[in-house]
Amino acid sequence: MDDENKSKEELLAEIAKARRRIAELEASEERYYQIVHNANSIIMCMDTKGNLTFFNEFAQRFFGFYKEEVLGKNVIGTILSEKDTSGADLVAMIKDIVENPERHSVNENENIRSNGERVRVLWTNKAIIGDNGSIKEILCIGNVSANKV
C-alpha cells in the first residue's frame, strides 16, 4: 500500500511507533551521557593533530580545566608538556599514538594539571575510524596512578 492509500489509523500508528523510537533513542543518549560524564576516569578524544575534541567532566575536575578552555587546543601545552621530567619526548609520543595507535593501546606517562602539578596517568588508547577507513580520532581513557611525579 502506498502512502496515498494509507488510512488515518495506519498513519497514526506509524507516528506513534516513530515517537516511541525517538523516546528510546533519547533515553539511550541520556544513559550514554550519564555514563561517560560520571565515570571516575578521564575520557577524552583527540584528533589526528593532537587537538582535544572531547573532555568529560572527570577530566575537567582532574586537570582543572573547563572543556571550553581546552577543546580545539593541542594536548601539548594543556595536559602535556613537550618533555616530561625524565626528558621523554611527549611530542613524539603523541605523534606516534596518532600514527600507530595499536602500539600505544596502553601506556603510562606524565601529565600536567592546570596548576602545574605533574601526575602520572595510565592511558588506554583506541583509534576511531572514519567513514573513509582512516583514523578520525583517538579515544583516550585515563586512570590516575597512585604515584605522583
Side-chain angles (χ1 to χ4, degrees):
M1 180 182 293
D2 61 19
D3 287 343
E4 291 178 17
N5 295 327
K6 286 186 180 179
S7 70
K8 181 178 179 181
E9 291 79 24
E10 290 171 316
L11 291 173
L12 289 173
E14 284 183 22
I15 290 170
K17 184 177 177 181
R19 285 184 175 152
R20 282 191 302 275
R21 183 67 183 132
I22 289 169
E24 289 170 4
L25 289 171
E26 287 173 343
S28 177
E29 183 178 337
E30 177 62 23
R31 179 167 161 61
Y32 156 82
Y33 179 89
Q34 292 300 324
I35 289 169
V36 169
H37 285 284
N38 291 310
N40 281 329
S41 293
I42 300 160
I43 302 175
M44 60 179 225
C45 292
M46 63 180 175
D47 66 18
T48 57
K49 294 178 180 156
N51 297 318
L52 289 162
T53 60
F54 182 83
F55 208 63
N56 76 337
E57 290 178 25
F58 185 86
Q60 293 173 68
R61 287 191 310 273
F62 178 76
F63 285 113
F65 291 110
Y66 291 108
K67 66 181 177 184
E68 295 81 9
E69 295 176 276
V70 295
L71 291 181
K73 293 186 179 174
N74 202 280
V75 292
I76 303 295
T78 53
I79 65 167
L80 290 173
S81 58
E82 290 185 11
K83 294 193 182 294
D84 70 12
T85 52
S86 70
D89 186 347
L90 300 180
V91 174
M93 180 195 70
I94 291 300
K95 184 175 187 271
D96 198 45
I97 288 172
V98 168
E99 292 173 358
N100 305 290
E102 67 284 350
R103 285 193 214 163
H104 301 275
S105 60
V106 177
N107 75 297
E108 184 175 0
N109 61 273
E110 183 181 292
N111 289 251
I112 190 164
R113 291 175 151 173
S114 64
N115 65 4
E117 179 186 9
R118 294 179 180 266
V119 291
R120 296 206 62 82
V121 176
L122 178 65
W123 294 99
T124 56
N125 303 299
K126 180 162 180 34
I128 297 174
I129 307 300
D131 293 337
N132 64 0
S134 64
I135 296 173
K136 177 181 171 184
E137 292 181 300
I138 305 294
L139 168 64
C140 309
I141 300 175
N143 289 292
V144 181
S145 173
N147 302 325
K148 293 187 179 180
V149 177

